[in-house]
Amino acid sequence: MTPILLAYIRFRPHVYGFARYASGAGCAYRGRMGDAVELEVAGRTVRLSSPDKVFFPERGFTKLDLARYYAAVGPGILRALRNRPTTLERYPDGVGGEWFYQKRAPKGMPGWIPTAHITFPSGRSADEMCPTEEAAVVWAAQYGTLTFHPWPVRATDVDHPDELRIDLDPQPGTDYADAARAARELRAVLDEFGGLRGWPKTSGGRGLHVFVPIEPRWTFTQVRRAAIAVGREMERRMPDRVTIKWWKEERGSRIFLDYNQTARDRTIASAYSVRPRPHAPVSAPLRWEEVGVAEPRDFDLATMPARFAELGDVHADMDDHAFSLDALLELARQDEHDHGLGDLPYPPEYPKMPGEPKRVQPSRARREPSP
């Protein structure tokens, strides 16, 4: 058990007492278990049907527990989602049932929840849910939403990201400790190239995410180019520990910096989102001094409300900053001009992009006959 968890263990309720704890943290409800209940969330009334439906059998957490969790961390998750088009990852029957991503705003969504019109790489478009109130998150939980996937843009300008998001993804043979080691070096890289500051969080699994608020004046393509420049600099500094190789067969036992998470319509789970794993982990915002000390399993649907009640949102000041990508884009230019390092492959569902190299895994390319 890590020091971070020990610091909050006194708040942690028994699994059967979680509902009693959470009822005082941002919401109240009327009704009996088994019946539909009404939750009061930041001035809105949200109806919750089948509140005692079990969503996480291993822990006994119900739909009502999920809704109360989101009410308890409401200011934090709203900060992460506010005015952002958001895809919903829904598990109507809990983590053991079928699931799907909902990109288009659900039918019957209340009129007080706005939408944002976004365009996919295919050219098709949709209106996505765009939360502006804490109650919108609890409303989505009613429909089995565990994880929220916000775009890195605001509704007022959906073509220019205001966040550079860096995903440090452990590959086979690596673990969270390796991701934490890479994150600390990433912090130094960001500071060196433009005085950038990142806000780290657990992925809810073995990885780490680092978000950098930026000025919304670059396209998705340019932001992706900056992420590639970060990845290449990380490779130079930690060649045996970090890779940006797109093809899995080339990655080895290294942390993969997934530059394609900055491509249009690729999203990362928001801070405070519950992840669909049996023990109900959450994507936990961290302070830098906690990276490598706290463990992902410290943060779950039961423990995060206590941490939030004690510390508040440790990423609350993110929106007070907006950094420039000029230094990273200059680094990208140098990589291209001085070292011949051009673009990298896009995800398979994307149309062929200008300047993109051949999109075929190296082992297959070696087997194909020459033209």
Side-chain angles (χ1 to χ4, degrees):
M1 190 175 297
T2 68
I4 297 300
L5 182 54
L6 285 171
Y8 299 100
I9 196 71
R10 67 185 184 278
F11 294 109
R12 183 172 184 164
H14 187 273
V15 61
Y16 297 111
F18 173 66
R20 290 194 295 275
Y21 165 79
S23 64
C27 71
Y29 76 92
R30 298 188 296 272
R32 298 175 301 174
M33 291 302 287
D35 299 333
V37 300
E38 291 183 338
L39 290 81
E40 299 296 327
V41 183
R44 293 280 186 188
T45 300
V46 180
R47 184 179 184 276
L48 201 72
S49 63
S50 304
D52 53 351
K53 178 186 282 188
V54 176
F55 272 19
F56 292 90
E58 182 177 292
R59 305 291 300 279
F61 296 143
T62 65
K63 182 196 281 192
L64 182 58
D65 292 331
L66 176 70
R68 284 174 160 172
Y69 163 78
Y70 278 126
V73 300
I77 192 166
L78 181 61
R79 188 268 311 157
L81 302 178
R82 184 182 285 112
N83 293 322
R84 297 188 185 281
T86 300
T87 297
L88 309 178
E89 187 176 347
R90 292 177 54 187
Y91 290 74
D93 295 313
V95 293
E98 295 184 359
W99 65 279
F100 58 95
Y101 290 109
Q102 176 132 21
K103 294 190 175 184
R104 288 170 171 78
K107 293 181 179 179
M109 191 172 71
W112 51 267
I113 302 178
T115 60
H117 193 74
I118 47 89
T119 302
F120 303 119
S122 65
R124 300 178 66 183
S125 62
D127 293 319
E128 286 205 341
M129 177 184 183
C130 194
T132 57
E133 301 182 38
E134 295 170 31
V137 180
V138 178
W139 178 86
Q142 146 67 11
Y143 293 94
T145 301
L146 298 187
T147 306
F148 295 83
H149 296 267
W151 281 49
V153 300
R154 307 284 181 169
T156 52
D157 187 352
V158 296
D159 292 318
H160 295 90
D162 68 345
E163 287 181 346
L164 168 64
R165 298 173 173 179
I166 300 172
D167 180 8
L168 298 172
D169 185 12
Q171 300 302 292
T174 64
D175 57 18
Y176 176 77
D178 296 301
R181 186 180 296 109
R184 290 191 290 269
E185 185 62 37
L186 171 63
R187 186 185 188 188
V189 169
L190 293 173
D191 182 63
E192 183 174 332
F193 290 93
L196 307 182
R197 176 184 167 193
W199 278 255
K201 69 182 184 71
T202 66
S203 67
R206 299 188 307 140
L208 277 166
H209 303 149
V210 178
F211 285 11
V212 180
I214 60 174
E215 300 168 9
R217 59 188 179 94
W218 294 278
T219 65
F220 279 93
T221 301
Q222 290 171 312
V223 174
R224 179 178 174 275
R225 186 165 170 249
I228 291 173
V230 170
R232 285 178 168 147
E233 182 63 20
M234 289 287 290
E235 279 188 327
R236 284 189 282 266
R237 298 186 183 203
M238 306 180 75
D240 297 327
R241 295 183 180 276
V242 175
T243 182
I244 58 168
K245 298 293 187 183
W246 177 246
W247 304 107
K248 291 183 178 180
E249 64 186 34
E250 295 186 302
R251 294 176 191 170
S253 297
R254 292 178 286 183
I255 297 297
F256 173 49
L257 193 150
D258 189 353
Y259 61 89
N260 269 331
Q261 291 290 40
T262 53
R264 179 184 288 272
D265 193 33
R266 294 297 283 255
T267 57
I268 294 177
S270 77
Y272 301 102
S273 273
V274 179
R275 306 314 308 276
R277 294 178 175 86
H279 61 289
V282 304
S283 180
L286 300 175
R287 298 167 296 192
W288 274 108
E289 59 266 27
E290 295 176 299
V291 173
V293 178
E295 293 290 335
R297 291 190 71 96
D298 291 349
F299 309 106
D300 60 30
L301 193 146
T303 61
M304 181 55 80
R307 173 180 166 90
F308 193 88
E310 179 76 0
L311 299 178
D313 179 15
V314 298
H315 286 187
D317 62 334
M318 270 189 68
D319 289 345
D320 297 335
H321 302 269
F323 295 99
S324 171
L325 291 180
D326 286 342
L328 284 180
L329 291 174
E330 172 58 21
L331 176 62
R333 188 198 67 78
Q334 293 174 9
D335 283 342
E336 294 159 6
H337 182 268
D338 300 341
H339 305 291
L341 300 174
D343 202 358
L344 294 173
Y346 274 78
E349 70 272 17
Y350 277 64
K352 182 69 174 179
M353 302 296 286
E356 181 187 1
K358 190 175 183 180
R359 198 184 298 174
V360 59
Q361 64 191 71
S363 60
R364 180 179 175 184
R366 287 192 293 268
R367 294 195 301 268
E368 291 179 351
S370 301

